[in-house]
Amino acid sequence: MQGNERQIFKLQLFSSAIIVAVMALALGGLLITQARSEYDASLLALEEQETQAMKEELIRQVETAKNFLRTMQASTEEVLRRQITDQVDQAYALSSALYDREQGRLGEGEVKRLVIEALRPIRFFNGKGYYFVDDMDGNCLLLPINPNLEGTSLLNNRDDAGTYIMRSLISAANNPSGEGFSRYRWYAPGSGKKMLEKIAYVRKFEPYNWLIGTGQYISDVDQVLQAEARNRLRGLRFGPHAKGYFVIYGPGEKVLVSPSRQESEDHLIDELPSDGRAVAHTIFDQGQKGDGFVRYDWAIDGGTSNKSTKLVYVSKVPDWDWVISAGLYLDDLAATIASRRAALDESIRNKVLVTVLAALTGIVISLAIGWKFSHISHRMVESFHSNIAHKNQELEAKTRTLEQSNADLEQFAYVASHDLQTPLRNIVRFAQLLERRYKGRIDSDADAFIGFIVDGGKHMTQLISDLLEFSRVSRQSAPLTPISATEAITQALKNLELEIAKSEAEVNVDDLPLVMADQTYLVSLFQNLVGNGIKYGAADRKPVISVSAMRVSSGRWRFAVTDNGIGIEPQYQEKVFEIFQRLDPTSRREGTGIGLTLCRRIVHRFGGAIWLESIPGEGTTLFFTLQDGSAAA
């Protein structure tokens, strides 16, 4: 017997050592395989991460440039006003100096002629700027670009938009300060019969009751600012090794900024060499479609050899009708990824080495301690069997309890749906009989009491029905499948036809998508939300409810149900989702306070979220999210 035990002991020790060795080797292999899998996943994630980082950098650079351009655009009128104010101030100073010097020495007519002729030849703004002088009755005294009009009245002269030009100038000069600005349209030099937007500044010359002024075309200032912006953006660089730069195209497919091929600037795209023409059309066409990314091959020095793939972000600058783009070379991304890959390789090698050493250490330790515990293994097995048997017995007691609890819950549902509703219907029915037979024959209190019984019975019946519906959402709803939200809202509106007609409500529904839902409860969700918009409408206007949806991610839609009703005070906007919460228990509006609670349970059942935004007195918008069903359709 003792020999047998000794043999069993040796066999058990040997078997344990083999099992531990096999398990250690298997675990080591599993860990190595897992490490390799993690390596591959890490490389993929790294590429996606670095690509996304490059895209975000390009977007940031373009948006920064656009903000700079918006600042330049916003300063157009400010610069123009400052320039024409300076010019008129100089003309006014010259006129005042001539008047002060010559009055008393020459006749008034001679002094006037002297002032006019002194201003006539002065030009500025690259030859486009000149001074004009008029009297406060609307007569033209100086108009260098059209002297034939001098001595005539321009009081009724209007531009192509109907603005009375002379009258607006007189009005500006009649300000209490004796100066002001006027905006109108006028013929620009070299533009033929085309009028352009112009801003003028005038000052009243008191000695002769004149107005002296000048103006400038907004487009001229825009051209100056655009040239300044082009020069600024042409020299900017960004990204690894400062290889990134901006390329800009203007109206008519004109090249405005091209740092790699500056000889292409101020040429049309179709005038470029074939490779540059193809790339320029790719960028320009994307700009017309909207913001987005394009890829193409391009040499860093702008040549025709040693080209690399370039990732470019394109956006539109609306006011100047520019297309601006910024790009970085994917070679730099590949270098970054290669560096990170080398670090990952080293990490994987270390993990493999550690795993092998751990496996060997485990085998040695298992052999060393195996003999110590092998002789008690049979007692441990017996103890385990005993514990397992005990646990199984405990589990069978708990299982019976759970089954009884489920049976009790089913019994409660049965009682709620049948045993409770039937006597409630009888109470309501007989109370209504009492009301019809004895109304007005006992006293007013009796009539009121009977009414209370009828109303209470109806409310309790509805409350039980709503509770049953609330409990069914999680237990009885069908598996989620692709459902047309348009068909669901159509059925919900059909169910609400009487309420819509009675309230004269207007319900507007946008195109709605496919979502993952249960048809029955999606209809219930829409019916509750639209019904609330009707029920809680404002007394002074007809209900208007809008239902719309917008994609918030690749796999999720956000729905919005908006009404123009009484709204909800901020302190109650979370409370309304709690069961039996009616914000106005004394209201004549029907309801049990479970509608929005049911909506929340339905949305949660569908894997979404629900919330609201409301302005008291103006209306409420209920938002909820659902999973996209188009991929599973």
Side-chain angles (χ1 to χ4, degrees), residues 604-616:
H604 287 177
R605 168 68 179 86
F606 294 165
I610 185 169
W611 68 97
L612 65 82
E613 294 177 2
S614 181
I615 300 177

Side-chain angles (χ1 to χ4, degrees), residues 404-422:
Q404 183 62 43
S405 177
N406 287 337
D408 292 343
L409 182 60
E410 293 296 330
Q411 182 65 23
F412 169 77
Y414 176 80
V415 171
S417 61
H418 296 285
D419 295 354
L420 288 180
Q421 289 189 0
T422 299

Side-chain angles (χ1 to χ4, degrees), residues 168-212:
S168 69
L169 294 173
I170 294 172
S171 176
N174 274 329
N175 285 330
S177 61
E179 59 185 348
F181 293 93
S182 174
R183 184 188 291 266
Y184 55 87
R185 296 172 61 81
W186 192 246
Y187 301 103
S191 66
K193 297 182 179 181
K194 182 179 179 181
M195 286 188 172
L196 300 177
E197 191 81 11
K198 190 173 187 178
I199 296 179
Y201 174 71
V202 295
R203 288 186 65 177
K204 188 174 183 181
F205 189 65
E206 293 289 353
Y208 298 139
N209 201 30
W210 289 354
L211 60 85
I212 300 175

Side-chain angles (χ1 to χ4, degrees), residues 121-131 189 198 214-216 220:
I122 299 175
R123 295 292 183 272
F124 39 88
F125 301 151
N126 295 324
K128 294 183 179 180
Y130 58 87
Y131 293 116
K198 190 173 187 178
T214 190
Q216 187 175 9
D220 291 342

